[in-house]
């Protein structure tokens, strides 16, 4: 009896000594995941909730609709509003987030007028949305040889907000990398 009591006390003390984030963590984000702290940060700030099965899927590419929703929830205070801002964005769960971003001139869509919400977002596209959303200072494009995304990538680079796992402009952003970028920008913004 005494032994069971001691084991129970030890178990309770060990459980209570765990960091709160360990008890509330996503099931699929191991302690050694490179973006674990960032994922926990965006979870703790209610920027992301994860999936109903308790997972976050940190290494899964994120699509344009999910990315826009998460960014808008990270930076916009107040209601998200708007409908039918793109021909391929209507009556869907992400419509109000995409339309808010469009109204705020954070996103413009593709030259053909579509948003393409289901497409995975690449780093260059994400760099523009993040730079616009966090009001980062971007360099003026004066050299015609510069590509459209260069000022946005440079703005993120100046904020030390590009994860080392991103090595190409067309790299499809993962959910973990997205969390890392948001965390770096938000912490920089509040310091």
């Amino acid at each position: 009896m005494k032994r069971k009591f001691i084991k129970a006390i030890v178990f309770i003390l060990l459980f209570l000594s765990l960091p709160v984030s360990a008890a509330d963590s996503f099931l699929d984000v191991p302690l050694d995941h490179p973006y674990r702290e960032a994922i926990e940060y965006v979870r703790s700030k209610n920027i992301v909730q994860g999936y109903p099965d308790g997972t976050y899927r940190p290494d899964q590419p994120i699509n344009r609709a999910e990315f826009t929703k998460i960014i808008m929830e990270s930076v916009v205070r107040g209601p998200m509003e708007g409908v039918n801002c793109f021909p391929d964005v209507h009556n869907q769960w992400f419509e109000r987030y995409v339309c808010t971003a469009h109204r705020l001139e954070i996103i413009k869509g593709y030259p053909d007028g579509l948003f393409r919400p289901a497409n995975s977002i690449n780093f260059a596209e994400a760099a523009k949305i993040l730079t616009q959303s966090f009001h980062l200072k971007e360099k003026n494009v004066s050299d015609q040889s510069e590509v459209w995304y260069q000022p946005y990538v440079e703005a993120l680079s100046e904020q030390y907000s590009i994860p080392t796992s991103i090595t190409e402009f067309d790299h499809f952003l993962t959910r973990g990398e997205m969390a890392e970028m948001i965390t770096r920008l938000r912490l920089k913004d509040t310091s």
Side-chain angles (χ1 to χ4, degrees):
M1 175 80 168
K2 188 175 181 183
R3 223 176 195 182
K4 286 184 180 181
F5 179 73
I6 292 174
K7 283 183 179 181
I9 296 294
V10 168
F11 175 77
I12 291 170
L13 290 175
L14 285 174
F15 181 77
L16 291 176
S17 69
L18 288 174
V20 172
S21 63
D24 295 338
S25 297
F26 293 111
L27 299 173
D28 61 340
V29 182
L31 293 173
D32 63 346
H33 193 280
Y35 301 121
R36 180 180 177 77
E37 288 182 29
I39 292 166
E40 289 302 317
Y41 174 83
V42 294
R43 184 201 52 77
S44 73
K45 299 296 182 186
N46 294 317
I47 296 169
V48 298
Q49 291 78 40
Y51 291 95
D53 64 358
T55 63
Y56 180 74
R57 303 175 193 163
D59 302 316
Q60 175 178 300
I62 187 167
N63 70 36
R64 292 169 51 82
E66 293 168 327
F67 184 81
T68 302
K69 175 196 181 275
I70 291 168
I71 297 304
M72 291 296 92
E73 287 190 340
S74 179
V75 297
V76 173
R77 305 294 176 246
M80 309 279 178
E81 301 174 331
V83 294
N84 296 320
C85 52
F86 292 99
D88 57 345
V89 176
H90 50 85
N91 297 323
Q92 293 143 313
W93 63 265
F94 52 82
E95 181 177 35
R96 63 189 176 127
Y97 303 101
V98 170
C99 291
T100 298
H102 187 260
R103 180 176 45 82
L104 296 174
E105 299 181 357
I106 291 170
I107 60 170
K108 293 182 182 174
Y110 288 98
D112 64 1
L114 298 176
F115 180 67
R116 298 189 180 123
N119 286 7
S120 294
I121 192 164
N122 69 38
F123 170 65
E125 295 168 328
K128 180 181 182 200
I129 293 171
L130 286 165
T131 299
Q132 302 283 64
S133 298
F134 283 90
H135 308 289
L136 302 180
K137 186 175 180 183
E138 57 198 74
K139 286 177 52 179
N140 292 330
V141 179
S142 58
D143 181 1
Q144 293 298 327
S145 67
E146 285 189 28
V147 291
W148 67 268
Y149 51 80
Q150 186 170 347
Y152 308 113
V153 171
E154 288 178 11
L156 285 179
S157 180
E158 288 176 8
Q159 299 297 311
Y160 303 99
S161 298
I162 303 173
T164 57
S165 57
I166 298 174
T167 58
E168 298 183 18
F169 300 114
D170 61 352
H171 170 88
F172 289 127
L173 208 64
T174 67
R175 294 172 54 80
E177 291 164 339
M178 175 271 310
E180 180 72 13
M181 295 171 84
I182 290 173
T183 300
R184 290 183 188 190
L185 289 168
R186 284 195 50 150
L187 293 176
K188 182 100 173 160
D189 194 36
T190 59
S191 54

